[in-house]
Amino acid sequence: MLERLKEFASEFFVTGDPLIYGADVAIGITIIAIVSVLTYFKKWGWLWRNWLTTVDHKKIGIMYIIASIIMLFRGGVDALMMRLQLAMPNMDFLHPEHYNQVFTTHGTIMILFMAMPFMFGLFNVIVPLQIGARDVAFPFLNALSFWLFFLGAMLFNLSFVIGGSPDAGWLSYPPLSELSHSPGVGQNFYIWGIQISGIGSLATGINFMVTIIKMRAPGMKWMKLPMFTWSVFSTCIIILFAFPILTVTLALLFLDRFAGAHFFTLDLGGNPMMYINLIWMWGHPEVYIVVLPAFGVFSEIVSTFSRKKLFGYKSMVFAMLIISFLSFFTWAHHFFTMGSGADVNAFFAVTTMLIAIPTGVKVFNWLFTMYRGRIRMATPMMWTIAFIPCFIVGGMTGVMLSVAPADFQFHNSYFLIAHFHQVLIGGVVFGYFAGLYYWWPKMFGFQLEEKLGKWAFWTWNIGFYVCFMPQYAVGLMGMTRRLSTYGWDTGWWELNFVSTIGAFLMGVGFLFQVAQIADGIRKYKTLKASGDPWDGRTLEWSIPSPAPEYNFAVTPRGDDVDEWWEEKERRAKGIHPPEPVYEPIHMPKNSSIPFIMSVFWFVAGFGFVFGWLWMAILGLAGVGICMIARSFSYDTDYYIPVDEIKRTEASLRGSV
Ligand code: HEM
Ligand SMILES: [Cu+2]
């Protein structure tokens, strides 16, 4: 009996590597620390009532961002481990199997559990405020989306200590990801972690689409929508069409592994290339999903910090919609080498190149907005200005990759690694950082001090170029991706060494950001932000920071893109708005169902990962019961009475 138990434990828990034991201990200590702090300060009730069961879009947004920053840390540690291993030839720090796991978890986490939630966090905090709404269209569904994302991400991360990590790359190509080549549970963790959080992503896409269509302030016609909200809308269109493809593809892969199907196997009629086509039909749109909101953030910041209207508003909107559309017709540029022939490759090469046109339009619009503007160099603006050249180089190397015959050389080399990190870091990460700095005072009610922020900015930026520029070169010299080590005779080590230094500089940049935030929290009482700390232009700046629970005491109007700016101009001329007439505000009630239901999804996922059908059925039954419970709960809303609104407004407005 004891022997059997031991055997089970040695398969169940990941063993053998000192790094893993170290991580086990660290995870254990963190959990104990969190539990004891919550118990000691008697904060469990507070956590449950204010956060775990909340349906408030602002709080959900903050939880998304916190989770994504933790994931940025984990993905970043993975990155640094890889760069350490590649710093010198013949290094013995990560063994090949371990290296495979690390690049797989790094890529998956960075895209799905860092970029996506960071983006959803910004959607949540800002979109309802920008369009003058009380909340999103479906607040309950919104909470459910968050918890599905969170527990999906936790399930994925669990593979680090239980069962073993996936190691077939961030897109899990068959045949590597099939049972024949990956008999362990790692791929199952991959499939279920992404499936569960993916349902949440699809629901968020639908939720924000409906919110933007139905809940805009009176007067806010489509061409009066703030640019960030437009970017969210175009992203939601892509999510709506792309995420179902991902769900189906992973479901088919799961059937291959779990039920002996042969969709993507090499024998019995299956075809691995079918998977690769399908996954990129989601995967390419996915990169536009994460970058369009960053474009939206930059548009807001450029105009606020140049104190000018955004140049070329309509062309911005059309550029984004065209990008959304085109993003569905470029997927095969990820495997020009498949052998589909010149005609097919030519089609995908041309569609890919076409995307450069609307993107170029946007870049010129940002530049023209800055032209002759009175530019203020606060941190959000610095990230924006740094993004422009970085994204241009990243985009141009993308156009180089889209030349199909040339791609036969570039394919899967470090040239590609450098290209996509340049657009993902220089575009997506810089964009979300800019957004976080910009909207930080609105989220938390205090300003961050700029000094540490500027240190973070410079170390991140210098680190970025030092890390990735050499990779273009080393790629052209023949170094391929997913390589766990190389010899002295390759001539690659100097460039790799420099690249590793750059990666660690970015790590230092991250530490500066953590320090900046910690410092801000320590001094937050002295750093109180007004409702409009940047002299903003859109409606979110017209209300106090942080926004009260109900956002707007009276529904605002949205007659202009820069409605709040116009309002300030009117007030300067002495035209004041009429005294507000308050009415009771209709609000959604908190609910514990999203959290509990997602925990059941987690249980079901865990059961499927290990093939324990009883557990999977138990989990799914729990999910079903939660759905039934929700459909019978009628007590889902309440009204904030006028007295309370008056009191809150008086205390908030008094202090701003
Ligand atoms: C912060 C600095 C970062 C560094 C130093 C870094 C470094 C690396 C390294 C060394 C690899 C493995 C290359 C290989 O052996 O093939 C890699 C792969 C990858 N990275 Fe990053 N990375 C960073 C940030 C990011 C970000 C922000 C994202 C996405 C938002 C990202 C997405 C990916 C993806 C998708 C892969 C491919 C994984 C695979 O081959 O399956 N990385 N990165
Ligand atoms: Cu692509």
Side-chain angles (χ1 to χ4, degrees):
M1 181 67 193
L2 198 66
E3 277 308 302
R4 294 249 314 268
L5 214 60
K6 261 193 188 158
E7 203 182 299
F8 169 76
S10 77
E11 272 180 28
F12 189 70
F13 295 107
V14 176
T15 50
D17 193 312
L19 275 175
I20 305 262
Y21 293 129
D24 286 344
V25 174
I27 293 170
I29 293 175
T30 314
I31 293 177
I32 295 172
I34 294 175
V35 170
S36 3
V37 167
L38 286 172
T39 313
Y40 183 79
F41 290 104
K42 301 205 171 63
K43 287 287 185 191
W44 284 104
W46 165 85
L47 185 69
W48 179 255
R49 278 189 305 276
N50 283 325
W51 295 94
L52 302 190
T53 59
T54 188
V55 292
D56 180 338
H57 68 97
K58 302 177 285 297
K59 288 185 176 166
I60 291 176
I62 289 172
M63 292 195 290
Y64 265 122
I65 292 174
I66 293 174
S68 85
I69 289 176
I70 296 172
M71 289 292 104
L72 177 63
F73 176 74
R74 151 117 212 233
V77 171
D78 282 348
L80 294 184
M81 294 203 305
M82 288 188 287
R83 281 313 324 164
L84 209 57
Q85 165 67 19
L86 294 175
M88 297 286 279
N90 305 328
M91 284 277 277
D92 202 18
F93 170 61
L94 293 178
H95 297 287
E97 323 77 64
H98 197 175
Y99 190 88
N100 291 349
Q101 298 177 351
V102 175
F103 70 66
T104 303
T105 52
H106 163 79
T108 312
I109 285 179
M110 283 296 198
I111 305 261
L112 287 151
F113 304 132
M114 189 286 287
M116 292 291 282
F118 209 140
M119 168 182 104
F120 287 148
L122 294 175
F123 284 19
N124 264 285
V125 177
I126 299 310
V127 169
L129 301 183
Q130 266 198 342
I131 62 174
R134 291 271 145 74
D135 205 309
V136 294
F138 309 115
F140 175 89
L141 186 67
N142 197 27
L144 182 62
S145 296
F146 170 74
W147 288 111
L148 285 173
F149 144 71
F150 187 78
L151 284 149
M154 290 302 111
L155 185 65
F156 182 88
N157 276 282
L158 206 58
S159 66
F160 183 51
V161 287
I162 289 178
S165 298
D167 56 2
W170 83 280
L171 285 180
S172 208
Y173 283 3
L176 259 187
S177 55
E178 291 281 1
L179 212 50
S180 52
H181 293 68
S182 300
V185 294
Q187 293 313 315
N188 298 345
F189 272 115
Y190 174 94
I191 293 174
W192 283 95
I194 297 181
Q195 283 297 46
I196 292 173
S197 68
I199 309 169
S201 303
L202 181 59
T204 305
I206 297 171
N207 209 340
F208 277 85
M209 202 165 201
V210 179
T211 305
I212 296 170
I213 294 176
K214 299 294 289 182
M215 298 179 62
R216 282 168 289 140
M220 196 179 270
K221 300 213 175 66
W222 281 103
M223 284 299 147
K224 302 290 174 205
L225 215 52
M227 195 49 68
F228 178 67
T229 303
W230 255 121
S231 74
V232 174
F233 190 75
S234 7
T235 299
C236 289
I237 300 177
I238 315 183
I239 291 179
L240 197 65
F241 289 102
F243 265 79
I245 310 179
L246 175 69
T247 308
V248 170
T249 311
L250 291 181
L252 296 180
L253 182 63
F254 180 68
L255 287 178
D256 272 13
R257 293 181 58 85
F258 188 74
H262 291 275
F263 292 105
F264 309 126
T265 57
L266 284 163
D267 47 4
L268 293 168
N271 186 350
M273 281 322 288
M274 185 159 82
Y275 178 94
I276 296 174
N277 273 281
L278 284 170
I279 200 83
W280 279 113
M281 280 182 205
W282 160 78
H284 188 83
E286 165 66 15
V287 301
Y288 285 92
I289 290 174
V290 289
V291 87
L292 286 181
F295 290 171
V297 172
F298 293 131
S299 303
E300 298 287 340
I301 292 175
V302 157
S303 131
T304 300
F305 288 85
S306 310
R307 295 174 199 256
K308 276 176 67 188
K309 257 193 184 332
L310 188 66
F311 185 90
Y313 176 93
K314 278 193 183 153
S315 64
M316 275 310 204
V317 173
F318 286 114
M320 267 185 313
L321 292 175
I322 292 168
I323 293 175
S324 308
F325 178 74
L326 281 179
S327 74
F328 282 94
F329 302 97
T330 68
W331 79 85
H333 64 204
H334 294 275
F335 41 89
F336 281 137
T337 49
M338 175 172 77
S340 43
D343 297 345
V344 173
N345 278 1
F347 173 83
F348 285 99
V350 171
T351 51
T352 306
M353 291 172 194
L354 279 179
I355 290 198
I357 298 170
T359 315
V361 168
K362 297 182 74 70
V363 170
F364 280 108
N365 283 339
W366 290 316
L367 293 176
F368 285 130
T369 308
M370 284 194 273
Y371 179 65
R372 294 203 155 169
R374 281 173 292 147
I375 296 177
R376 277 173 299 164
M377 279 293 175
T379 32
M381 187 62 169
M382 291 172 70
W383 287 99
T384 304
I385 292 180
F387 144 81
I388 294 176
C390 195
F391 200 82
I392 291 175
V393 176
M396 293 307 283
T397 54
V399 175
M400 287 171 73
L401 284 158
S402 77
V403 180
D407 186 61
F408 276 65
Q409 285 300 316
F410 301 141
H411 187 63
N412 276 354
S413 73
Y414 259 75
F415 189 89
L416 166 80
I417 298 281
H419 153 71
F420 75 65
H421 281 92
Q422 184 144 26
V423 283
L424 283 169
I425 298 180
V428 176
V429 177
F430 284 13
Y432 298 172
F433 282 168
L436 184 63
Y437 282 114
Y438 182 51
W439 283 305
W440 181 278
K442 188 52 59 188
M443 288 183 208
F444 299 106
F446 67 94
Q447 287 276 45
L448 287 174
E449 281 184 331
E450 294 267 293
K451 193 157 177 241
L452 282 166
K454 290 194 172 157
W455 275 98
F457 170 83
W458 286 109
T459 34
W460 260 104
N461 270 275
I462 296 171
F464 172 80
Y465 288 98
V466 175
C467 181
F468 291 104
M469 292 304 119
Q471 292 185 8
Y472 283 116
V474 86
L476 295 180
M477 288 161 70
M479 180 162 168
T480 51
R481 73 190 288 198
R482 297 179 178 171
L483 200 64
S484 70
T485 189
Y486 53 91
W488 286 102
D489 53 346
T490 53
W492 298 338
W493 87 266
E494 293 94 337
L495 288 168
N496 272 297
F497 190 77
V498 173
S499 175
T500 300
I501 295 176
F504 277 85
L505 266 177
M506 282 186 273
V508 174
F510 181 75
L511 293 182
F512 274 125
Q513 290 177 304
V514 174
Q516 184 192 16
I517 292 174
D519 184 59
I521 293 174
R522 205 162 48 88
K523 303 190 196 148
Y524 84 95
K525 288 207 172 100
T526 59
L527 299 172
K528 269 214 174 344
S530 70
D532 186 13
W534 307 115
D535 199 5
R537 309 178 73 84
T538 36
L539 285 175
E540 75 269 30
W541 305 110
S542 67
I543 51 175
S545 304
E549 181 188 17
Y550 47 76
N551 297 353
F552 296 87
V554 239
T555 309
R557 284 196 63 86
D559 297 306
D560 197 278
V561 181
D562 296 319
E563 179 61 30
W564 174 236
W565 183 266
E566 299 292 325
E567 172 69 25
K568 285 188 282 191
E569 305 254 285
R570 282 196 291 272
R571 288 187 193 177
K573 285 191 206 130
I575 310 170
H576 286 280
E579 271 302 300
V581 185
Y582 298 128
E583 279 169 36
I585 296 179
H586 189 198
M587 298 288 290
K589 255 194 188 154
N590 283 2
S591 168
S592 55
I593 294 177
F595 180 77
I596 298 173
M597 187 161 146
S598 305
V599 170
F600 278 119
W601 268 112
F602 180 92
V603 172
F606 196 84
F608 279 122
V609 166
F610 282 93
W612 299 337
L613 221 49
W614 61 269
M615 195 172 176
I617 292 172
L618 188 85
L620 290 179
V623 171
I625 292 170
C626 285
M627 288 183 181
I628 295 169
R630 172 66 183 175
S631 56
F632 281 98
S633 58
Y634 299 111
D635 179 24
T636 56
D637 53 355
Y638 69 104
Y639 282 86
I640 303 181
V642 171
D643 288 349
E644 196 183 323
I645 304 170
K646 276 190 184 149
R647 245 178 294 127
T648 317
E649 286 294 303
S651 75
L652 288 174
R653 303 269 168 188
S655 68
V656 285

